[in-house]
Amino acid sequence: MTATPDLGTPQLASPDLLRSVFRRHAAGVAVITAVGEGGPVGFTATSLTSVSAEPPMLSFGIGAGASSWPAVSSADHVGVHILGEHQRELAATFARSGADRFGAPTSWREGPEGVPVLDEVLAWLVCRVVARIPAGDHRIVLAEVVVGDPAGAGRPLLYHQGRFTALRD
């Protein structure tokens, strides 16, 4: 007979339970960019996932009520940027509602397919959107990699316990 682990006091499924559990899950930090009718848009994402190597595909989630959703919902291409630990302020800017995300001090340029590409990131990709899948109050965007650059210097930025942090050795 095996010992039963102490499970504490289980909670019924709720948005608060899900948030509490995922605060304990350290995640890499990315910024997703696109071009909308009003210009460039972007948001901080921790839901970035590699989906397939052949063809190279990834996915990310975005809230259906997010200010960037209208542009992402119709964009043919998106930019995906892996942030370094030196970019905590950039991550916070793209996470903050109502922020001027592409104004100073954000450094960026127009990249392939007209997608905004952020400077000094660890890596970036431009991807062709192939599907947008409803998932509760979010949408899962599935995108195929078109071009990118993995050569940025530094260590990754992480999100854990509600704050941006760095790896420890």
Side-chain angles (χ1 to χ4, degrees):
M1 198 181 262
T2 58
T4 303
D6 179 10
L7 298 178
T9 305
Q11 299 175 29
L12 293 176
S14 70
D16 287 339
L17 173 62
L18 187 67
R19 284 186 202 100
S20 293
V21 168
F22 274 87
R23 277 189 199 104
R24 296 181 166 274
H25 175 70
V29 180
V31 167
I32 310 298
T33 61
V35 176
E37 289 182 14
V41 301
F43 64 97
T44 301
T46 56
S47 61
L48 183 65
T49 304
S50 171
V51 172
S52 168
E54 283 295 328
M57 297 181 91
L58 56 81
S59 69
F60 60 87
I62 179 172
S67 62
S68 295
W69 172 242
V72 173
S73 74
S74 62
D76 291 329
H77 293 83
V78 294
V80 176
H81 308 82
I82 307 301
L83 300 191
E85 63 186 7
H86 62 285
Q87 294 178 304
R88 291 179 191 197
E89 286 304 314
L90 183 67
T93 297
F94 276 84
R96 193 170 31 256
S97 180
D100 180 4
R101 296 172 178 156
F102 290 90
T106 301
S107 179
W108 65 282
R109 64 194 180 282
E110 184 177 311
E113 303 297 336
V115 172
V117 174
L118 302 175
D119 293 335
E120 298 181 20
V121 295
L122 297 188
W124 61 267
L125 299 166
V126 170
C127 304
R128 181 179 61 84
V129 175
V130 296
R132 297 169 185 89
I133 304 156
D137 62 356
H138 276 61
R139 301 297 179 263
I140 305 300
V141 177
L142 187 62
E144 184 175 359
V145 176
V146 174
V147 64
D149 183 356
R155 293 166 44 113
L157 182 63
L158 300 178
Y159 188 73
H160 182 250
Q161 293 288 53
R163 64 185 183 89
F164 297 113
T165 188
L167 290 173
R168 290 188 208 142
D169 290 329

